[in-house]
Structure formats: structure tokens, C-alpha cells
Amino acid sequence: RVRGAKMAAGSGPAARELFAEGLLQFLRPAVRQLDRHVHSVRESQVELREHIDSLATELCRINEDQKVALDLDPYVKKLLNARRRVVLVNNILQNAQERLRRLNHSVAKETVRRRAMLEAGGY
């Protein structure tokens, strides 16, 4: 019976609020860290795309300047294909970062709401 009374007391609204607050505090740093990593990867993707563009341009220039016919078109196509994939990954990362931003905002809003509720309830 004592154990059942403890469980009943520990499962009330205050306990649920405390658990929710703890869960939000636990998730917030992970969401922020993930957001920073996604941002860093997106910056790297932009740099990579710029390097691919530069290399493709340089290969086209070399191909035009060569007196001996070198067929660099397949390499240029491969670079452009790689660039397309980088852009695709960058778009996916951008969408993921936006979802993370919204999640972080929701977590912060919920934390403020729960804190205000706890303070108003006198817990």
C-alpha cells in the first residue's frame, strides 16, 4: 500500500510537469547542437559547390585552350552531376535546419509556458 500511495502521489500533475520540464531541459541542448552541426555542414556544402563550379569552369577553359584534342566533357559532366547532388543535399539540410529551428522555438515556448504554470500554481 505504501508503494501504491507513493506512485499515486508521484504521478500527479506536478510530477508530470516536473518530468516534462526535465525532458525539455534535456532536449534543448541536443537540438541546439544539432542545429549548429547542420549549419556547419550547410556552409561546407556551399564551399564545395563553389569549388565544383570553379573546377568545372577551369576544365572548360583548359579544354578550349588545348591544341591537342582532349575530351574533358565527361569530367565536366561528372562535376556538374556532383554539383547537382551537393545542391540537393544542401536543400535537404536547409529543410532539416528549419524544422530544428521550429522545434527549438516550440521547446522554448513550452518551457516558458510550463514555468509560468508552475509558478502560478505555487509549486
Side-chain angles (χ1 to χ4, degrees):
R1 279 189 187 184
V2 172
R3 184 174 180 213
K6 283 183 182 177
M7 285 179 68
S11 63
R16 282 193 299 270
E17 290 297 322
L18 186 60
F19 175 75
E21 178 70 24
L23 187 58
L24 289 173
Q25 292 298 327
F26 176 74
L27 289 176
R28 182 178 292 121
V31 169
R32 285 183 179 155
Q33 181 181 21
L34 191 54
D35 185 55
R36 283 192 304 270
H37 288 311
V38 168
H39 182 73
S40 174
V41 170
R42 284 187 59 214
E43 287 178 347
S44 296
Q45 293 283 318
V46 169
E47 279 184 43
L48 180 58
R49 188 178 68 221
E50 289 170 355
H51 287 299
I52 288 172
D53 288 344
S54 174
L55 186 55
T57 302
E58 189 65 22
L59 279 175
C60 287
R61 190 190 61 73
I62 289 171
N63 198 26
E64 290 169 2
D65 291 347
Q66 288 295 320
K67 291 182 179 28
V68 178
L70 288 177
D71 189 19
L72 296 177
D73 286 341
Y75 301 106
V76 171
K77 286 179 184 175
K78 284 182 182 182
L79 280 171
L80 294 176
N81 189 34
R83 182 191 187 283
R84 184 186 55 78
R85 287 191 308 248
V86 167
V87 169
L88 181 65
V89 169
N90 195 35
N91 289 340
I92 291 168
L93 286 171
Q94 188 173 3
N95 291 335
Q97 189 172 30
E98 179 58 27
R99 286 193 302 265
L100 278 171
R101 189 196 60 74
R102 286 193 309 261
L103 178 62
N104 195 23
H105 180 70
S106 295
V107 167
K109 209 161 92 173
E110 184 66 14
T111 300
V112 168
R113 185 187 72 78
R114 290 184 183 272
R115 216 174 257 141
M117 223 166 64
L118 285 172
E119 290 171 0
Y123 294 104

